[in-house]
Amino acid sequence: MVLSAVLACGPQQKNAPKEALRSQLQSYVQKGEILYGHQDDPSYGHTWRVENWETDSLLRSDVKAVSGQYPAVLGFDLGRIELGDSLNLDRVPFGLIRKATINHGKRGGVVTFSWHPRNPVTGGDAWDVSRTDAVSSLLEGGEKHAEYLEVLDRLASFFASLEGTPVIFRPWHENIGSWFWWGGALCTEEEYISLFRLTHDYLEKEKGLDNILWCYSPDSNASKEQYMSRYPGDDWVDILGVDCYEYVGSGTIEQAKAFYIEQVRDRLAFIQEISAERGKLMCLSETGFEGLPDPTWWTETLYPAIKGFPIVYVLTWRNADNMPGHFYAPWDGFEHAGNFKEFSELEDIILL
Ligand code: BMA
């Protein structure tokens, strides 16, 4: 065992930044409060983007523009950190992400990271599912294992640069469906679990990082059995999440709404059972309805879907500045923004 591993198991673990975050999150749950989160909130919005993060105060926010408050949770993505790039896959500088994370932690907010890494065997993006050996290649004995340890070094340096700010990391998300190279049909259960554990153990035991709570966040295509079939284990997971979106498809908004509410409630119900058995926090790690076509989505769909579940947060996806229909939170001038304001003022919904 390396020295950092000995230290990580030592008595100071109780005082680790991640334990402070865990207690903070537990106290919201005990009060029946649900934090609201938004992906990439300070980086860009529906019609704007931070130009110079070093001089910018990073105080602009579509959510604040319509509700008067910042989201309690900020989400960021680490895709392309594995390449050593300075911009992530949505062109957000990692410098901005670091600065915004530290600022948000200081003002009492919570930060969560997703990761859409590129395919290690094809060089394609996270959605390149053309080969089924990408995950196994990263594991011990695999042809990309040594390179993966270098990727983990980059990840570790990033987390270590957050000045001790505790954060939530949810790698290898949406792993039941098969649209990412680590998805259900692209690797075995054992390979998936090994990859999650390797990622966790390298950062915590090898690198001694103590500022990360780990979230497992499959997509909503999972039954309880499927959800658990790729569960990395209690020693590797702190928060149980699920990503679940509303889609209209060929039906009506009313049908989509009924399906979404039922699906979210079904998934959160079994996650609640698992989290009670295992003493884990739970969250709705990603959700939304692209373009918000339903005028009362926040109060009449999202809220009824989550109400009564002890989730610590719900995060809606990003407001892209370069794809006019790709937004999941309101923005200044959006016709149904008032419904979000109403949602944000509910007693149990917490913004910063
Ligand atoms: C997806 C879309 C993409 C984006 C990716 C990672 O859901 O928003 O445009 O690149 O997430 O943020």
Side-chain angles (χ1 to χ4, degrees), residues 39-40 77 89-90 116 127 245 317-318 323 326 328:
Q39 185 76 2
D40 278 347
D77 199 274
L89 79 169
D90 299 313
H116 290 82
W127 294 265
Y245 284 86
W317 203 239
R318 64 198 199 99
M323 299 153 80
H326 196 54
Y328 294 85

Side-chain angles (χ1 to χ4, degrees), residues 78 81-84 115 117 138-140 144-160 169 171-172 181 194-209 212 214:
L78 298 175
I81 206 167
E82 68 281 0
L83 306 177
W115 188 24
L138 302 180
L139 304 176
E140 216 174 320
K144 299 286 178 184
H145 182 67
E147 274 174 45
Y148 188 52
L149 297 187
E150 288 172 23
V151 164
L152 292 177
D153 286 336
R154 295 197 177 107
L155 259 187
S157 307
F158 174 79
F159 286 119
F169 184 34
W172 314 124
W181 53 259
S194 299
L195 178 61
F196 198 109
R197 290 183 179 183
L198 168 63
T199 308
H200 172 286
D201 290 350
Y202 194 82
L203 266 52
E204 290 217 340
K205 298 196 174 135
E206 194 66 36
K207 293 293 177 176
L209 289 168
I212 303 171
W214 294 75

Side-chain angles (χ1 to χ4, degrees), residues 2 70 89 93 97 119 125 132 139 156 172 180 211 264 276 302 318 323 334 343:
V2 292
Y70 291 107
L89 79 169
I97 296 176
N119 186 314
D125 63 21
T132 53
L139 304 176
W172 314 124
F180 294 134
N211 61 332
V264 171
L302 178 61
R318 64 198 199 99
M323 299 153 80
F334 177 59
F343 170 78

Side-chain angles (χ1 to χ4, degrees), residues 50-58 95-96 99:
V50 169
E51 297 293 342
N52 182 344
W53 64 269
E54 283 171 280
T55 54
D56 196 294
S57 53
L58 307 183
L96 184 161
K99 181 174 163 182

